[in-house]
Amino acid sequence: MFARTVSFRLKPNMLSDYTRTFDKDILPLLRKQNGFKDEITFAGPGGIDVTAVSLWDNKASAEAYNTNSYPEVLKSLARFIEGTPKLQTSDVVNSTFHKTAIHAAA
C-alpha cells in the first residue's frame, strides 16, 4: 500500500466550505481512480492547517492520479487554500484498518 500526504493551510473560516466541496466533488473523483483505497483528512485547531492522506494499492496508481487528476483537484480547491500544498509520498508499513502488502507477504 502507498500513501500520498498533502499538507496545506486553509484561508480563514473555510473548513466547512472545503469539506463540503471535497465530499461533493473530490471524493467521487478519487473513488473512480484505479487503485484508490481511502482518504483521511485531519484539521488542526482552528481548522486552518489541514493534512489529507490518501491510500493507494500501489505507487503506480498514486503516481497516475498525481499526473492525471491531481492538477484539476488543486484548481477546484484553490479558492480555499493559501499558498502551495506540500506533497509527501511513502510506503504504508502498518495499518490496523487496512491489510497491507507487507503483512500479507509475512
Side-chain angles (χ1 to χ4, degrees), residues 35-54:
F36 174 74
K37 289 295 184 191
D38 197 13
E39 176 80 19
I40 306 166
T41 304
F42 306 92
I48 301 234
D49 293 314
V50 176
T51 300
V53 179
S54 59

Side-chain angles (χ1 to χ4, degrees), residues 14-57:
M14 289 300 232
L15 183 60
S16 62
D17 292 334
Y18 162 80
T19 302
R20 188 172 28 262
T21 299
F22 186 87
D23 288 345
K24 181 181 167 221
D25 300 330
I26 308 306
L27 195 52
L29 175 100
L30 281 168
R31 287 185 172 138
K32 292 178 186 175
Q33 302 301 305
N34 186 37
F36 174 74
K37 289 295 184 191
D38 197 13
E39 176 80 19
I40 306 166
T41 304
F42 306 92
I48 301 234
D49 293 314
V50 176
T51 300
V53 179
S54 59
L55 300 175
W56 300 82
D57 276 346

Side-chain angles (χ1 to χ4, degrees), residues 59-103:
K59 184 177 182 178
S61 295
E63 287 177 347
Y65 164 75
N66 193 63
T67 300
N68 300 322
S69 299
Y70 184 59
E72 291 302 315
V73 168
L74 283 178
K75 285 180 189 175
S76 336
L77 298 178
R79 67 181 182 258
F80 307 117
I81 297 174
E82 288 185 349
T84 303
K86 179 182 176 188
L87 171 67
Q88 292 181 304
T89 58
S90 56
D91 291 313
V92 176
V93 296
N94 188 19
S95 172
T96 60
F97 192 69
H98 296 277
K99 187 175 182 178
T100 63
I102 291 172
H103 287 117

